[in-house]
Amino acid sequence: MGETSIDLRRRTGNGAAMSILSGHARVAGIAGWPVTYSRSPRLHGFWLQRYGVDGAYIPLPIKASEFAVAIRGLVAAGFAGANVTIPHKLAAFAICDEVDASAHRAGAVNTLMFREEKVFGSNTDGYGFVANVRAHGIDPTAGPALLLGAGGSARAVAAALQDAGTKVTVANRTAERAEALARDLPGLRVVDWNQRVAALSDHALVVNATPLGMVGHEALDLDLSNSPLDLVVADNVYVPLETPLLSAARAQGLRTVEGLGMLLHQAVPGFQAWFGVEPTVDEELRRFMVADLPMR
Ligand SMILES: NC(=O)c1ccc[n+]([C@@H]2O[C@H](COP(=O)([O-])OP(=O)(O)OC[C@H]3O[C@@H](n4cnc5c(N)ncnc54)[C@H](OP(=O)(O)O)[C@@H]3O)[C@@H](O)[C@H]2O)c1
C-alpha cells in the first residue's frame, strides 16, 4: 500500500544493531565484577537479532557485596534470568531456591532462571565444553582426560566429562584443591602438578582450565614434544583465540579445541530458557565473535 518501512534498529557505539523493545520484552543479562570485558552481551545480542526476539541481554555490573540483593532486585523487576561470571559463581549457587544436577555436581552456578519469584540455578560450562569438543568432530569419551586446574570451570568440565563416561584426572597447582574435587567427584584421579607432562602419555585429551595463556597472564608451561600423536589439546581460554598452548599443539601436529566454542555452546540453554528459542552455534556466529577478539 505504498507504506514506508521504518528501520526500527539503531547502531550502538561498537556498530551492533539494537532493536526497539515492546512492553512485553524479555530481559536477561550477565552479572559480574568487572563485567566490561564480557563477550556474552555480544553473543546473546547476535542471537536476539538473528531470531527477531523481543528481548534484551545487558551487562549487569554487580559488586560481590551487593550480589544477593541485586539478584533479588532483578527477580522483582521481572527479569527472565541472568548469567553469572567471576566472582559470583559460588555466591549464585548459595542464593538459588533450587539447583539442577549440573550445578550441584560443579558446586557453582553460571545460569539463573527466574520463575514465579523463585531462582533456579544451572551450570552450563560443562555442557558447553563437551558440546564444543563434539562440534570439533572429537569424541570426548575416546579415552581418559587430563584436566589442568581445579577451579570453578574445571569442576564443571570434570563433572560433565564423567557424566559422558570419560575417566578424568586432575592436576592442580594447589594439591588440596584437586583433592577436594576428587572427594566431590568419586572416581576422579589426582596427579601432582609437577607430573603433568609425564601424565600426558596416559591420556587422550588434555584441557587447560587455568587462566594461563590468557591476555595478561603467563603462558601454560606444558611440553608437548613427547606427547602421544593422537592427543587432543583443548584450551578453555579464548582471549586470545589462538593461545600459546594451541599454537604449540598445532606445531606438533596435534588436534586442538579452542575455548571460544565452549563460550558459545554454554550460552545455548540460557538463551532458550529466557527467550524461548533454541539458538544455533554456527560459523557465522563464530566469525561475528572472532571479530571482537585478539587473534594472539
Ligand atoms: N571458554 C569458556 O566458556 C570458559 C568458561 C569458564 C572459564 N574459562 C576460562 O577458564 C579459566 C579458569 O576459570 P575458572 O572460573 O575455573 O577460574 P578459577 O575458579 O579462579 O580457577 C583458576 C584455576 O587456575 C589455577 N591457576 C591460576 N593461576 C595459576 C598459575 N599461575 N599456575 C598454575 N595454576 C594456576 C588455579 O590453581 P590454584 O587452585 O592453585 O589457585 C585454579 O585451579 C578462565 O580464566 C577462563 O579463561 C573459559
Side-chain angles (χ1 to χ4, degrees):
M1 303 281 289
E3 282 172 340
T4 315
S5 77
I6 302 168
D7 186 358
L8 290 178
R9 291 177 301 178
R10 60 193 172 84
R11 298 273 154 194
T12 62
N14 67 7
M18 244 177 74
S19 297
I20 304 296
L21 303 176
S22 82
H24 299 280
R26 311 266 301 159
V27 184
I30 179 155
W33 187 267
V35 79
T36 32
Y37 296 108
S38 172
R39 264 66 182 189
S40 290
R42 183 174 174 91
L43 163 57
H44 286 274
F46 176 91
W47 280 332
L48 288 167
Q49 283 283 320
R50 171 185 272 179
Y51 300 111
V53 175
D54 183 15
Y57 182 100
I58 59 174
L60 299 163
I62 299 173
K63 289 183 186 156
S65 57
E66 310 290 336
F67 182 73
V69 72
I71 294 299
R72 285 291 159 195
L74 298 180
V75 176
F79 271 57
N83 278 129
V84 174
T85 187
I86 291 171
H88 302 313
K89 288 186 184 182
L90 295 179
F93 183 87
I95 60 137
C96 284
D97 296 300
E98 261 178 55
V99 295
D100 69 7
S102 66
H104 190 71
R105 297 254 288 147
V109 158
N110 78 336
T111 305
L112 297 171
M113 276 82 64
F114 306 150
R115 288 186 209 120
E116 292 162 11
E117 306 293 311
K118 287 205 162 147
V119 178
F120 297 87
S122 182
N123 192 315
T124 64
D125 278 338
Y127 161 82
F129 176 82
V130 170
N132 183 38
V133 171
R134 291 208 163 106
H136 280 72
I138 291 163
D139 176 6
T141 67
L146 174 63
L147 204 48
L148 305 179
S153 64
R155 277 184 167 261
V157 169
L161 282 170
Q162 280 192 337
D163 290 346
T166 306
K167 285 198 163 42
V168 180
T169 308
V170 166
N172 192 52
R173 176 180 62 177
T174 308
E176 296 77 36
R177 216 166 164 196
E179 279 146 19
L181 183 52
R183 279 195 296 278
D184 291 345
L185 299 179
L188 188 135
R189 225 180 105 211
V190 175
V191 294
D192 193 273
W193 176 250
N194 295 321
Q195 293 302 311
R196 61 193 184 280
V197 174
L200 290 173
S201 58
D202 303 330
H203 293 86
L205 170 68
V206 61
V207 185
N208 176 31
T210 76
L212 294 170
M214 203 165 122
V215 166
H217 294 250
E218 58 190 288
L220 171 68
D221 182 8
L222 189 73
D223 180 1
L224 296 169
S225 54
N226 292 316
S227 57
L229 293 176
D230 54 357
L231 181 74
V232 174
V233 179
D235 201 335
N236 292 352
V237 171
Y238 59 89
V239 185
L241 193 64
E242 172 90 358
T243 62
L245 175 66
L246 294 178
S247 296
R250 284 189 190 126
Q252 293 287 328
L254 303 175
R255 284 179 299 164
T256 57
V257 177
E258 65 180 26
L260 177 62
M262 175 177 168
L263 177 79
L264 307 185
H265 284 281
Q266 65 75 33
V268 169
F271 189 92
Q272 182 170 16
W274 305 319
F275 302 116
V277 179
E278 184 180 0
T280 303
V281 174
D282 58 15
E283 191 47 36
E284 190 191 6
L285 170 64
R286 185 180 171 279
R287 274 202 307 274
F288 179 74
M289 297 301 292
V290 166
D292 190 43
L293 288 175
M295 217 52 192
R296 275 168 220 287

